[in-house]
Amino acid sequence: MRFPTGLPPIRMMFRPIATLAMGLVLSACATVGYYSHVAAGQSQLMLHRRDVARVLDDPSVDAKLKRRLQLAQEARAFASSHLGLPQNRSYTSYVQLDRPYVVWNVFATPRYSMDPIRHCFLFAGCVAYRGYFSHDKAKAEAARLEKGGDDVYVGGVPAYSTLGWFADPIMSSMMRWDDDELAATIFHELAHQLIYVKDDSAFNESFASFVQEEGLRQWRQSRGLPPQDVLAKTMDDGFTWLVMDLRERLKKLYASGVDQAAMEAGKQREIADFRVRYAQWRDLDWPDDHRYDGWVSGPINNARLLPFGLYDRWTPAFAALFKQSNQQWPDFYAGVRALARLSHAERQQALQRLLPPGTPPPA
């Protein structure tokens, strides 16, 4: 599951928001117009889905698409038989979209704050964005928020989860990924269906991200494929650290109490300094790889920084729990459920205790 357009293809950013774009599902505080929009968009997907088996039997369907769908079905079966994930009709149907993304998420923060403007939903709890099936509606909402002085970012989402309320289909927007991303997305989204805690996105996304990563490792091993490229993850982590460092610098600035003119000047200075630090890091460690240049040179504001770190904040803690569970999925899930039953504060403390020594504190 990837997400906002304009972001580089890196693990920690894409995996995330795509899963919960259906924070959409039944908003507890949405306007009637927004609810109607969401209901209509979900209904259209359900109306146009086709069983993958029928698509595979259709002689008019492109052979490449058939191959990808066949692989998705194999990954879907592996998820239940080997990873202990729900065995249901999710990801056994296909929808051909007439647009590049299924949903567009709108992120927003106050101009001088890194705290997201949150939206609360009846089943999904509170999340840091609002999703729209229409790009035009997402842009209109972004324009409204910008007019009010907020920092705003709109990102396209290729996939999302309804947390098991519907049989989620595979969508044509998911076909742009490579085989690993396609399989990993299915593992990630099904993990959300298995265990989900309202109002704790970091817990939910870190759990699903661990299942995705460990599931993909086992999936590749089962198919006789070599381990994934470690260098790519190292580069991902390095870039994430740079962005998280910028977020921390901005937080300190916003808490400083200086006047608005100094706050704005400081904000722009921190963003400019980040670009310098990025260029130095890239030229020193990755001189021949410029995959993040486009993102760094684009407009940067608070809202555009929000997704970073959310999806792997507690991943090392879940990895430690998996090891403590002797790498047995049923025992691991029992441990995760025990964490889910704790209060938010107790859960944070328990996860902190699980982190390996020397792990940087979560942002």
Side-chain angles (χ1 to χ4, degrees):
M1 129 218 96
R2 300 200 174 203
F3 80 62
T5 179
L7 291 178
I10 52 182
R11 172 183 50 82
M12 78 293 164
M13 292 193 300
F14 284 77
R15 187 57 51 198
I17 300 302
T19 38
L20 293 184
M22 277 310 273
L24 293 170
V25 180
L26 294 182
S27 169
C29 57
T31 63
V32 173
Y34 179 71
Y35 175 77
S36 298
H37 166 72
V38 169
Q42 181 65 31
S43 297
Q44 284 297 307
L45 292 181
M46 298 299 100
L47 180 65
H48 289 97
R49 63 184 177 181
R50 299 174 62 194
D51 286 344
V52 169
R54 290 182 177 272
V55 178
L56 294 176
D57 287 340
D58 187 341
S60 68
V61 174
D62 178 73
K64 181 179 179 180
L65 175 58
K66 286 186 176 182
R67 184 191 71 78
R68 304 301 309 290
L69 288 174
Q70 180 60 49
L71 179 135
Q73 296 311 280
E74 293 168 6
R76 178 66 187 83
F78 183 88
S80 296
S81 63
H82 288 77
L83 307 182
L85 294 171
Q87 188 166 7
N88 52 35
R89 295 189 65 248
S90 288
Y91 309 109
T92 63
S93 62
Y94 176 71
V95 174
Q96 178 64 48
L97 299 171
D98 59 357
R99 55 190 187 270
Y101 297 101
V102 62
V103 164
W104 284 264
N105 282 341
V106 180
F107 299 85
T109 72
R111 185 164 182 80
Y112 302 116
S113 172
M114 285 306 307
D115 294 331
I117 294 173
R118 294 167 65 82
H119 304 275
C120 297
F121 303 94
L122 191 59
F123 300 119
C126 297
V127 293
Y129 51 85
R130 199 175 189 186
Y132 293 83
F133 285 100
S134 162
H135 191 205
D136 287 344
K137 287 184 179 297
K139 289 193 298 182
E141 173 65 5
R144 183 187 70 81
L145 292 166
E146 285 180 331
K147 188 176 180 180
D150 294 325
D151 276 9
V152 181
Y153 173 64
V154 178
V157 181
Y160 68 80
S161 171
T162 59
L163 307 179
W165 289 95
F166 299 95
D168 296 320
I170 299 167
M171 286 167 281
S172 56
S173 49
M174 299 164 63
M175 294 294 108
R176 72 187 69 183
W177 301 332
D178 62 23
D179 290 351
D180 280 354
E181 283 295 304
L182 182 58
T185 296
I186 292 171
F187 303 155
H188 186 106
E189 305 298 358
L190 288 172
H192 281 308
Q193 293 188 16
L194 185 70
I195 300 172
Y196 183 86
V197 178
K198 289 178 68 173
D199 303 326
D200 198 339
S201 294
F203 176 86
N204 295 324
E205 293 302 336
S206 296
F207 162 65
S209 292
F210 171 76
V211 174
Q212 156 211 321
E213 292 176 7
E214 176 60 24
L216 183 59
R217 187 192 69 77
Q218 294 186 17
W219 162 253
R220 289 182 64 87
Q221 186 178 57
S222 74
R223 298 172 76 83
L225 298 173
Q228 286 186 289
D229 181 8
V230 176
L231 287 178
K233 183 180 184 301
T234 301
M235 190 175 185
D236 289 352
D237 290 343
F239 184 69
T240 301
W241 186 91
L242 285 171
V243 177
M244 297 295 287
D245 179 62
L246 171 60
R247 279 187 14 180
E248 288 306 304
R249 290 167 184 261
L250 289 172
K251 283 183 181 179
K252 290 179 181 178
L253 170 67
Y254 299 152
S256 67
V258 298
D259 62 43
Q260 183 169 325
M263 191 85 72
E264 180 61 27
K267 178 179 182 179
Q268 298 309 317
R269 183 173 59 252
E270 289 292 359
I271 292 171
D273 289 348
F274 160 76
R275 291 190 169 110
V276 172
R277 290 193 299 274
Y278 163 74
Q280 292 171 340
W281 168 79
R282 179 201 62 201
D283 294 344
L284 179 63
D285 295 335
W286 312 95
D288 299 321
D289 196 323
H290 293 251
R291 71 182 67 184
Y292 307 125
D293 286 10
W295 191 93
V296 172
S297 64
I300 296 177
N301 63 21
N302 302 333
R304 201 163 183 235
L305 304 178
L306 283 179
F308 286 83
L310 175 63
Y311 293 88
D312 53 6
R313 176 177 178 181
W314 296 114
T315 301
F318 286 109
L321 181 60
F322 189 67
K323 186 176 181 179
Q324 289 180 12
S325 305
N326 297 313
Q327 300 185 341
Q328 298 298 308
W329 288 107
D331 294 341
F332 170 69
Y333 293 141
V336 176
R337 288 190 177 95
L339 290 170
R341 288 192 292 269
L342 299 175
S343 69
H344 187 271
E346 292 171 334
R347 188 161 53 248
Q348 299 284 299
Q349 294 171 3
L351 288 166
Q352 189 68 49
R353 288 193 296 269
L354 282 167
L355 289 175
T359 304

